[in-house]
Amino acid sequence: MTYLFNQPSAFAAELIEGFVAANADKVRQVTGGVVRSTRSQPNTVAVIVGGGSGHYPAFAGLVGQGLAHGAAMGNLFASPSAQQIYNVARAAHNGAGVLLMFGNYAGDVLHFGQACERLRAEGIACEVLAVTDDISSAGKDELEKRRGVAGDLCVFKAACAAAEAGHDLSKVLQLAQHANSRTRTFGVAFSGCSLPGASHPLFEVEKGRMELRLGIHGEPGIKETDMPSANELAEIFVERLLNELPADIPQAEGQRVAVILNGLGSVKYEELFVVYRRVAQLLEAANLQVVEPDVGEFVTSFNMAGASLTLMWLDDQLETLWRAPTNTPAYRKGSVLVAEPLSAADRIESMEEALPAATAESQESAKRVLRLGDIDAVAGDGDHGIGMERGVLGAVEKAREVAARGAGAGSLLCRAADAWADKAGGTSGALWGVALTALGTALGDRQTPDAQRVATGVREAKEGIMHFGKARVGDKTMVDVLVPFSDSLNEAVAAGASLTDAWLKAAQVADKAAQDTAQLVPKMGRARPLAEKSVGTPDAGAISLALIVNTVGDLLKEHSASEQGA
């Protein structure tokens, strides 16, 4: 269980405050995360890492000289929003472009991708790299689908050392890709983790048993076995990883490897050393030369009891980058000359963006749009319901603020979209941010929304979500509802139906589509490795979308009735 917290909803924000207060000589807080508090070399690449909180020392603990320039920090186990990532990247930018790095989780892919596009649109060169070291999460023929776990550190270290050495963005990216292609991790769990305020862990392991092939977001493993001894666990680790030799390595023997034995939150260092004793023996027996191994906690899963082993096969370039000195709150290596601290003038953050002018009609529409924030979105699959609630509340708060400042319907929706994505985090936060932005852009601030503009906005929301999320109908996601809903709405509007009638008809289609997802096998996201277990249960994102469009339909019907009564 989790012992020390105040309000569970404030836990992530308060941990950032405390972390910065304890490490002010190395980091400073910005909106969305932390950046270095020391001056970086001008005209060098800035490397931004990030993901959900709950994985310390990833990601904030890796910010400092020789490692990351900044870390975007989402809520517990939820990816940071595109806005958070953008804010951190802008604050850390040194003039030579930005590399955004993260574990390969759907929400992170969406949010970091959106932030990258926004930075590029502003003329800042930007690239993204998703770490894919977890051998458990996909087969050798689908390396691009693998998750990023403790191997994050190996890949981050290579990229950041390259940036520190003054390489340009294309070279930093190439070296990071090279490190990623040579990094492999395998993990196990002995018990699940419990988030602050939760009455039970996200999953449980039977006493005396061990879960193999787990994730770091509270996902259970795929296979269960008897609890091994320390030596037996070391043998499992090494055997699995040596069977995963990267394609460009000619043979397993005679190679140099970087090694990380990682505790996932509750396994003590002394236990890890007992395991590493046998790991070292096995690697030596395999004629592998270990270079500067690390044993400890590097990428955790809050307070999960478990461990993982990571190997990065080295060549001369990667060994130089691995050995390069670094000085961060949680990771130190070699000797670093302490950089000059930033001055107060360097720490100024941007002011609130001005709102565009809106017509009186659009301002009145914005007030009606604001009523949609009264939705009670509770649809739970772990953190989905919590994330949806945070997103809705954040969007409503922002919508009220900009409505009071005279925003039109389009601007209100776009600002609410940013707030939803920022507060919710995760995949759903990113997707709802895309959806509301598309709808707001279609409505604009100059004209009263009509059926055609709304239908167009919904269609563009569908296209945007499918572009960023890469999901298709049949993948068991919200897209399984959004596509038939959008198609039905646009067909009805094209046939001359009113917005209310078209929406209500499309909402019925959405209901059926959401329930039909129960028979699908997930092909994307965290649920994909546990695919068969979800059959018989509808997708939470699909259910959320169906609930929301039905609530909007009720409001449209109510508004239509009041107009007729008048």
Side-chain angles (χ1 to χ4, degrees), residues 483-502:
V483 169
F485 172 76
S486 173
D487 292 348
S488 175
L489 179 67
N490 276 274
E491 287 170 9
V493 168
S498 69
L499 175 59
T500 300
D501 290 342

Side-chain angles (χ1 to χ4, degrees), residues 26 36 38-41 44-47 49 61-70 94 101 153-166 172 320-329 331-339:
K26 298 179 180 68
R36 294 183 187 180
T38 56
R39 192 176 302 281
S40 299
Q41 193 68 25
T44 55
V45 174
V47 179
V49 302
L62 305 179
V63 175
Q65 290 177 254
L67 247 169
H69 296 77
N94 295 318
M101 303 185 71
L153 176 57
C154 295
V155 186
F156 294 171
K157 181 69 171 61
C160 296
E164 205 83 5
V172 172
T320 297
L321 299 173
W322 178 245
R323 290 182 181 272
T326 183
N327 183 29
T328 77
Y331 192 78
R332 296 176 178 83
K333 180 175 285 195
S335 178
V336 173
L337 292 176
V338 177

Side-chain angles (χ1 to χ4, degrees), residues 269-540:
Y269 276 58
E270 288 87 346
E271 297 174 88
L272 293 174
F273 289 132
V274 173
V275 175
Y276 187 73
R277 162 190 166 276
R278 182 59 178 154
V279 168
Q281 293 171 352
L282 293 167
L283 294 177
E284 182 180 6
N287 197 26
L288 290 171
Q289 179 186 346
V290 175
V291 178
E292 296 189 0
D294 284 312
V295 178
E297 292 182 344
F298 304 99
V299 179
T300 61
S301 184
F302 205 64
N303 58 6
M304 181 188 290
S308 64
L309 183 68
T310 300
L311 299 182
M312 177 170 68
W313 277 264
L314 302 173
D315 55 19
D316 290 345
Q317 275 188 320
L318 291 179
E319 182 171 347
T320 297
L321 299 173
W322 178 245
R323 290 182 181 272
T326 183
N327 183 29
T328 77
Y331 192 78
R332 296 176 178 83
K333 180 175 285 195
S335 178
V336 173
L337 292 176
V338 177
E340 177 187 354
L342 290 172
S343 66
D346 294 319
R347 301 174 180 234
I348 298 174
E349 294 195 53
S350 61
M351 300 297 288
E352 174 74 36
E353 183 181 2
L355 291 170
T359 63
E361 291 82 2
S362 186
Q363 289 176 336
E364 186 61 31
S365 296
K367 294 176 183 177
R368 290 199 294 272
V369 170
L370 180 56
R371 291 191 60 202
L372 305 184
D374 294 330
I375 296 165
D376 178 20
V378 180
D381 73 332
D383 64 355
H384 177 78
I386 297 170
M388 289 291 291
E389 183 181 25
R390 285 197 303 256
V392 169
L393 293 176
V396 171
E397 182 180 1
K398 176 57 70 172
R400 286 177 177 147
E401 174 200 323
V402 298
R405 293 167 54 200
S411 288
L412 184 144
L413 281 168
C414 289
R415 297 307 190 278
D418 287 342
W420 188 314
D422 187 49
K423 297 295 184 183
T427 306
S428 64
L431 296 180
W432 277 99
V434 168
L436 292 181
T437 298
L439 188 58
T441 301
L443 296 186
D445 294 322
R446 310 304 299 175
Q447 297 173 300
T448 302
D450 58 20
Q452 186 57 59
R453 286 192 187 85
V454 172
T456 298
V458 171
R459 185 181 68 245
E460 291 176 353
K462 174 193 73 174
E463 293 169 354
I465 283 175
M466 293 178 74
H467 168 71
F468 283 106
K470 310 302 182 187
R472 296 292 179 265
V473 172
D475 287 348
K476 195 164 187 174
T477 70
M478 68 185 295
V479 167
D480 291 296
V481 171
L482 181 57
V483 169
F485 172 76
S486 173
D487 292 348
S488 175
L489 179 67
N490 276 274
E491 287 170 9
V493 168
S498 69
L499 175 59
T500 300
D501 290 342
W503 192 284
L504 290 172
K505 179 182 177 182
Q508 292 179 337
V509 173
D511 265 341
K512 183 179 185 304
Q515 296 303 323
D516 287 347
T517 62
Q519 304 312 313
L520 298 176
V521 175
K523 299 177 183 176
M524 301 191 71
R526 294 183 196 171
R528 184 178 61 83
L530 306 172
E532 300 301 331
K533 293 183 179 179
S534 78
V535 174
T537 302
D539 178 68

